[in-house]
Amino acid sequence: MKIRLLIHLIIVILLAFLFYTSSSGFTKNRHAFYVSADENIRVMTYNIRGARGEQGRIELDRIAGEILHSGADIVALQEVDFHLPRSNFTNQPSYLAGRLLMNYTYHPNIHFIIGSYGLAILSRFPIVGTEYFRLPGNSWESRGLLKATINTGEQMIEVYSTHLSLKKEERIEQMAFIRERIKSNHHPYLIVLGDFNAFPSHEHLNSLRELLIDPVFENNLNLYTYHTLSHSYQIDYILYSPAFSLQEAGTFSSSSSDHDPLIYSIEVIEPQTLQAGTHK
């Protein structure tokens, strides 16, 4: 009896180790679509809450359908589950990428005994490089910044996905960290997307707006991505370098998450038309 229990314990430990170690960051390229010079690029940020719908059921197919319907070329996802019991042990980034015929990169913010939870970037275009940065903060839920270098066929684009803290003091530190990463990156084509957990009026957002364009804020657009019973707010953002120009911005209601996705259609400005310098 003791031997049988020992064998079962060893099997559980091995499985847990397998799930834990396999949930470190990884990238999969299976498709090689490219954009033509006159095409706009559609980018989306979406906190999917592990694809848990209003009734707590896992609704990954609905999430995939929403992304497909949006026509997004590049998608930054937050609160993505990897092999967690609560989401039926599914590799969510791989499943979504497979359904959407997209490439993807994933990196956990939090490791559990089994599985993990973190950030993903999906892309119609090849992902040719990735990097992950742990953000400052002392909360139990660690936060990160996932960077993907994406080849559209016309440009190399640096895409950053993040999910900032609920605590203001930590958000200020985290935005300062992101600002330094952006400031030191002299690449002309930069996009930062994510759940910032901050309202547009919060002053610490200005540290990023000094370097990047926030077109929703600059044009006084009312695009809300988070709702309570009495109010609606914007807490999800897409900011970009002056090498892009906004053509369209919007959201749509999601029943598969507590956030609505934010979507931009952006035009790439040719390098010869850019003024000297990459940042404002």
Side-chain angles (χ1 to χ4, degrees), residues 114-135:
I114 297 178
S116 64
Y117 160 95
L119 302 168
I121 296 173
L122 310 180
S123 173
R124 289 179 59 222
F125 317 115
I127 299 171
V128 298
T130 64
E131 198 169 359
Y132 178 81
F133 308 94
R134 184 74 63 188
L135 293 178

Side-chain angles (χ1 to χ4, degrees), residues 173-215:
E173 290 183 66
Q174 291 163 0
M175 286 189 185
F177 180 94
I178 295 171
R179 173 190 166 87
E180 290 308 307
R181 298 305 312 176
I182 297 302
K183 192 174 181 179
S184 64
N185 187 339
H186 300 293
H187 196 285
Y189 300 105
L190 298 172
I191 307 174
V192 178
L193 313 92
D195 175 0
F196 289 7
N197 276 315
F199 303 143
S201 59
H202 286 184
E203 291 184 359
H204 47 283
L205 273 168
N206 292 332
S207 65
L208 292 182
R209 291 180 180 135
E210 290 173 357
L211 302 178
L212 301 170
I213 297 169
D214 181 358

Side-chain angles (χ1 to χ4, degrees), residues 3-4 21 27 120 140 161 168 173:
I3 294 176
R4 182 178 296 177
T21 55
T27 300
W140 73 269
S161 174
K168 180 179 178 180
E173 290 183 66

Side-chain angles (χ1 to χ4, degrees), residues 69-109:
H69 180 72
S70 76
D73 300 304
I74 298 170
V75 185
L77 299 176
Q78 303 85 43
E79 297 193 20
V80 182
D81 286 0
F82 178 89
H83 286 168
L84 285 179
R86 70 180 182 185
S87 49
N88 304 320
F89 302 97
T90 303
N91 179 340
Q92 291 191 341
S94 177
Y95 183 89
L96 289 172
R99 287 293 310 274
L100 296 165
L101 301 180
M102 298 177 88
N103 307 307
Y104 73 97
T105 185
Y106 166 82
H107 202 287
N109 286 335

